[in-house]
PDB file of all heavy atoms in Angstrom:
ATOM      1  N   GLU A 579     -84.690 128.437  84.763  1.00 93.00           N
ATOM      2  CA  GLU A 579     -84.497 129.899  84.804  1.00 93.00           C
ATOM      3  C   GLU A 579     -84.985 130.544  83.506  1.00 93.00           C
ATOM      4  O   GLU A 579     -85.664 131.585  83.526  1.00 93.00           O
ATOM      5  CB  GLU A 579     -83.021 130.254  85.025  1.00 93.00           C
ATOM      6  CG  GLU A 579     -82.433 129.777  86.328  1.00 93.00           C
ATOM      7  CD  GLU A 579     -81.965 128.326  86.265  1.00 93.00           C
ATOM      8  OE1 GLU A 579     -81.605 127.845  85.166  1.00 93.00           O
ATOM      9  OE2 GLU A 579     -81.966 127.678  87.323  1.00 93.00           O
ATOM     10  N   LYS A 580     -84.630 129.931  82.377  1.00 91.00           N
ATOM     11  CA  LYS A 580     -85.032 130.471  81.072  1.00 91.00           C
ATOM     12  C   LYS A 580     -86.551 130.404  80.913  1.00 91.00           C
ATOM     13  O   LYS A 580     -87.170 131.338  80.413  1.00 91.00           O
ATOM     14  CB  LYS A 580     -84.321 129.691  79.958  1.00 91.00           C
ATOM     15  CG  LYS A 580     -84.629 130.173  78.574  1.00 91.00           C
ATOM     16  CD  LYS A 580     -84.047 131.549  78.299  1.00 91.00           C
ATOM     17  CE  LYS A 580     -84.255 131.904  76.836  1.00 91.00           C
ATOM     18  NZ  LYS A 580     -83.920 133.269  76.530  1.00 91.00           N
ATOM     19  N   ARG A 581     -87.145 129.297  81.368  1.00 91.00           N
ATOM     20  CA  ARG A 581     -88.602 129.154  81.283  1.00 91.00           C
ATOM     21  C   ARG A 581     -89.290 130.228  82.121  1.00 91.00           C
ATOM     22  O   ARG A 581     -90.239 130.864  81.675  1.00 91.00           O
ATOM     23  CB  ARG A 581     -89.025 127.767  81.757  1.00 91.00           C
ATOM     24  CG  ARG A 581     -90.533 127.553  81.724  1.00 91.00           C
ATOM     25  CD  ARG A 581     -90.915 126.108  81.926  1.00 91.00           C
ATOM     26  NE  ARG A 581     -90.475 125.255  80.847  1.00 91.00           N
ATOM     27  CZ  ARG A 581     -91.081 125.147  79.664  1.00 91.00           C
ATOM     28  NH1 ARG A 581     -92.137 125.874  79.409  1.00 91.00           N
ATOM     29  NH2 ARG A 581     -90.627 124.335  78.740  1.00 91.00           N
ATOM     30  N   LYS A 582     -88.785 130.440  83.326  1.00 94.00           N
ATOM     31  CA  LYS A 582     -89.372 131.451  84.207  1.00 94.00           C
ATOM     32  C   LYS A 582     -89.231 132.840  83.587  1.00 94.00           C
ATOM     33  O   LYS A 582     -90.162 133.649  83.633  1.00 94.00           O
ATOM     34  CB  LYS A 582     -88.691 131.404  85.576  1.00 94.00           C
ATOM     35  CG  LYS A 582     -89.387 132.195  86.634  1.00 94.00           C
ATOM     36  CD  LYS A 582     -88.759 131.943  88.000  1.00 94.00           C
ATOM     37  CE  LYS A 582     -89.554 132.645  89.077  1.00 94.00           C
ATOM     38  NZ  LYS A 582     -89.041 132.352  90.396  1.00 94.00           N
ATOM     39  N   SER A 583     -88.088 133.116  82.979  1.00 93.00           N
ATOM     40  CA  SER A 583     -87.853 134.402  82.325  1.00 93.00           C
ATOM     41  C   SER A 583     -88.833 134.607  81.164  1.00 93.00           C
ATOM     42  O   SER A 583     -89.408 135.688  81.011  1.00 93.00           O
ATOM     43  CB  SER A 583     -86.412 134.471  81.823  1.00 93.00           C
ATOM     44  OG  SER A 583     -86.202 135.619  81.049  1.00 93.00           O
ATOM     45  N   LEU A 584     -89.028 133.566  80.371  1.00 93.00           N
ATOM     46  CA  LEU A 584     -89.961 133.677  79.243  1.00 93.00           C
ATOM     47  C   LEU A 584     -91.411 133.824  79.720  1.00 93.00           C
ATOM     48  O   LEU A 584     -92.191 134.553  79.111  1.00 93.00           O
ATOM     49  CB  LEU A 584     -89.828 132.460  78.321  1.00 93.00           C
ATOM     50  CG  LEU A 584     -88.596 132.445  77.416  1.00 93.00           C
ATOM     51  CD1 LEU A 584     -88.491 131.115  76.673  1.00 93.00           C
ATOM     52  CD2 LEU A 584     -88.618 133.598  76.433  1.00 93.00           C
ATOM     53  N   GLU A 585     -91.752 133.158  80.794  1.00 94.00           N
ATOM     54  CA  GLU A 585     -93.107 133.299  81.341  1.00 94.00           C
ATOM     55  C   GLU A 585     -93.342 134.715  81.855  1.00 94.00           C
ATOM     56  O   GLU A 585     -94.427 135.275  81.676  1.00 94.00           O
ATOM     57  CB  GLU A 585     -93.350 132.266  82.437  1.00 94.00           C
ATOM     58  CG  GLU A 585     -93.522 130.872  81.890  1.00 94.00           C
ATOM     59  CD  GLU A 585     -93.604 129.797  82.961  1.00 94.00           C
ATOM     60  OE1 GLU A 585     -93.374 130.103  84.159  1.00 94.00           O
ATOM     61  OE2 GLU A 585     -93.883 128.637  82.593  1.00 94.00           O
ATOM     62  N   ARG A 586     -92.316 135.306  82.485  1.00 96.00           N
ATOM     63  CA  ARG A 586     -92.431 136.706  82.922  1.00 96.00           C
ATOM     64  C   ARG A 586     -92.589 137.638  81.722  1.00 96.00           C
ATOM     65  O   ARG A 586     -93.388 138.571  81.752  1.00 96.00           O
ATOM     66  CB  ARG A 586     -91.218 137.119  83.755  1.00 96.00           C
ATOM     67  CG  ARG A 586     -91.381 136.797  85.227  1.00 96.00           C
ATOM     68  CD  ARG A 586     -90.218 137.311  86.000  1.00 96.00           C
ATOM     69  NE  ARG A 586     -89.267 136.187  85.997  1.00 96.00           N
ATOM     70  CZ  ARG A 586     -88.000 136.245  86.305  1.00 96.00           C
ATOM     71  NH1 ARG A 586     -87.462 137.363  86.659  1.00 96.00           N
ATOM     72  NH2 ARG A 586     -87.243 135.188  86.267  1.00 96.00           N
ATOM     73  N   GLU A 587     -91.801 137.370  80.670  1.00 95.00           N
ATOM     74  CA  GLU A 587     -91.889 138.186  79.463  1.00 95.00           C
ATOM     75  C   GLU A 587     -93.280 138.065  78.835  1.00 95.00           C
ATOM     76  O   GLU A 587     -93.864 139.055  78.398  1.00 95.00           O
ATOM     77  CB  GLU A 587     -90.824 137.751  78.458  1.00 95.00           C
ATOM     78  CG  GLU A 587     -90.771 138.626  77.227  1.00 95.00           C
ATOM     79  CD  GLU A 587     -89.661 138.231  76.268  1.00 95.00           C
ATOM     80  OE1 GLU A 587     -88.789 137.426  76.620  1.00 95.00           O
ATOM     81  OE2 GLU A 587     -89.694 138.751  75.143  1.00 95.00           O
ATOM     82  N   LYS A 588     -93.818 136.854  78.817  1.00 94.00           N
ATOM     83  CA  LYS A 588     -95.155 136.637  78.265  1.00 94.00           C
ATOM     84  C   LYS A 588     -96.204 137.402  79.077  1.00 94.00           C
ATOM     85  O   LYS A 588     -97.097 138.043  78.511  1.00 94.00           O
ATOM     86  CB  LYS A 588     -95.482 135.147  78.240  1.00 94.00           C
ATOM     87  CG  LYS A 588     -96.822 134.841  77.613  1.00 94.00           C
ATOM     88  CD  LYS A 588     -97.092 133.353  77.594  1.00 94.00           C
ATOM     89  CE  LYS A 588     -98.487 133.081  77.067  1.00 94.00           C
ATOM     90  NZ  LYS A 588     -98.812 131.657  77.111  1.00 94.00           N
ATOM     91  N   THR A 589     -96.083 137.361  80.394  1.00 95.00           N
ATOM     92  CA  THR A 589     -97.012 138.092  81.261  1.00 95.00           C
ATOM     93  C   THR A 589     -96.923 139.595  81.004  1.00 95.00           C
ATOM     94  O   THR A 589     -97.953 140.279  80.911  1.00 95.00           O
ATOM     95  CB  THR A 589     -96.716 137.787  82.744  1.00 95.00           C
ATOM     96  OG1 THR A 589     -96.804 136.379  82.952  1.00 95.00           O
ATOM     97  CG2 THR A 589     -97.686 138.502  83.659  1.00 95.00           C
ATOM     98  N   LEU A 590     -95.711 140.096  80.868  1.00 96.00           N
ATOM     99  CA  LEU A 590     -95.511 141.516  80.586  1.00 96.00           C
ATOM    100  C   LEU A 590     -96.136 141.889  79.239  1.00 96.00           C
ATOM    101  O   LEU A 590     -96.815 142.919  79.120  1.00 96.00           O
ATOM    102  CB  LEU A 590     -94.019 141.851  80.589  1.00 96.00           C
ATOM    103  CG  LEU A 590     -93.637 143.285  80.239  1.00 96.00           C
ATOM    104  CD1 LEU A 590     -94.152 144.245  81.304  1.00 96.00           C
ATOM    105  CD2 LEU A 590     -92.142 143.407  80.093  1.00 96.00           C
ATOM    106  N   LEU A 591     -95.934 141.052  78.230  1.00 96.00           N
ATOM    107  CA  LEU A 591     -96.504 141.311  76.904  1.00 96.00           C
ATOM    108  C   LEU A 591     -98.027 141.274  76.940  1.00 96.00           C
ATOM    109  O   LEU A 591     -98.695 142.080  76.283  1.00 96.00           O
ATOM    110  CB  LEU A 591     -95.965 140.312  75.881  1.00 96.00           C
ATOM    111  CG  LEU A 591     -94.502 140.507  75.474  1.00 96.00           C
ATOM    112  CD1 LEU A 591     -94.004 139.299  74.685  1.00 96.00           C
ATOM    113  CD2 LEU A 591     -94.328 141.780  74.673  1.00 96.00           C
ATOM    114  N   MET A 592     -98.593 140.352  77.714  1.00 96.00           N
ATOM    115  CA  MET A 592    -100.049 140.284  77.842  1.00 96.00           C
ATOM    116  C   MET A 592    -100.597 141.537  78.501  1.00 96.00           C
ATOM    117  O   MET A 592    -101.624 142.081  78.075  1.00 96.00           O
ATOM    118  CB  MET A 592    -100.455 139.033  78.629  1.00 96.00           C
ATOM    119  CG  MET A 592    -100.245 137.751  77.857  1.00 96.00           C
ATOM    120  SD  MET A 592    -100.495 136.253  78.835  1.00 96.00           S
ATOM    121  CE  MET A 592    -102.207 136.383  79.251  1.00 96.00           C
ATOM    122  N   THR A 593     -99.903 142.029  79.506  1.00 96.00           N
ATOM    123  CA  THR A 593    -100.314 143.263  80.186  1.00 96.00           C
ATOM    124  C   THR A 593    -100.251 144.448  79.225  1.00 96.00           C
ATOM    125  O   THR A 593    -101.169 145.273  79.185  1.00 96.00           O
ATOM    126  CB  THR A 593     -99.410 143.520  81.412  1.00 96.00           C
ATOM    127  OG1 THR A 593     -99.465 142.390  82.274  1.00 96.00           O
ATOM    128  CG2 THR A 593     -99.843 144.756  82.164  1.00 96.00           C
ATOM    129  N   LYS A 594     -99.171 144.519  78.440  1.00 96.00           N
ATOM    130  CA  LYS A 594     -99.041 145.586  77.447  1.00 96.00           C
ATOM    131  C   LYS A 594    -100.170 145.521  76.427  1.00 96.00           C
ATOM    132  O   LYS A 594    -100.774 146.535  76.078  1.00 96.00           O
ATOM    133  CB  LYS A 594     -97.715 145.461  76.694  1.00 96.00           C
ATOM    134  CG  LYS A 594     -96.556 146.172  77.287  1.00 96.00           C
ATOM    135  CD  LYS A 594     -95.351 145.886  76.396  1.00 96.00           C
ATOM    136  CE  LYS A 594     -94.432 147.049  76.299  1.00 96.00           C
ATOM    137  NZ  LYS A 594     -93.234 146.736  75.499  1.00 96.00           N
ATOM    138  N   ALA A 595    -100.475 144.317  75.942  1.00 96.00           N
ATOM    139  CA  ALA A 595    -101.532 144.140  74.947  1.00 96.00           C
ATOM    140  C   ALA A 595    -102.882 144.588  75.505  1.00 96.00           C
ATOM    141  O   ALA A 595    -103.647 145.271  74.822  1.00 96.00           O
ATOM    142  CB  ALA A 595    -101.594 142.685  74.488  1.00 96.00           C
ATOM    143  N   GLU A 596    -103.169 144.233  76.740  1.00 96.00           N
ATOM    144  CA  GLU A 596    -104.420 144.656  77.373  1.00 96.00           C
ATOM    145  C   GLU A 596    -104.491 146.172  77.473  1.00 96.00           C
ATOM    146  O   GLU A 596    -105.541 146.780  77.237  1.00 96.00           O
ATOM    147  CB  GLU A 596    -104.562 144.024  78.758  1.00 96.00           C
ATOM    148  CG  GLU A 596    -104.853 142.545  78.733  1.00 96.00           C
ATOM    149  CD  GLU A 596    -104.814 141.914  80.122  1.00 96.00           C
ATOM    150  OE1 GLU A 596    -104.708 142.642  81.125  1.00 96.00           O
ATOM    151  OE2 GLU A 596    -104.895 140.673  80.182  1.00 96.00           O
TER     152      GLU A 596
END
Side-chain angles (χ1 to χ4, degrees):
E579 298 83 28
K580 181 69 173 171
R581 179 169 294 281
K582 192 172 185 176
S583 173
L584 284 173
E585 287 173 352
R586 273 184 270 165
E587 185 177 349
K588 183 179 175 183
T589 303
L590 177 66
L591 288 168
M592 289 172 64
T593 303
K594 271 179 145 177
E596 288 173 8

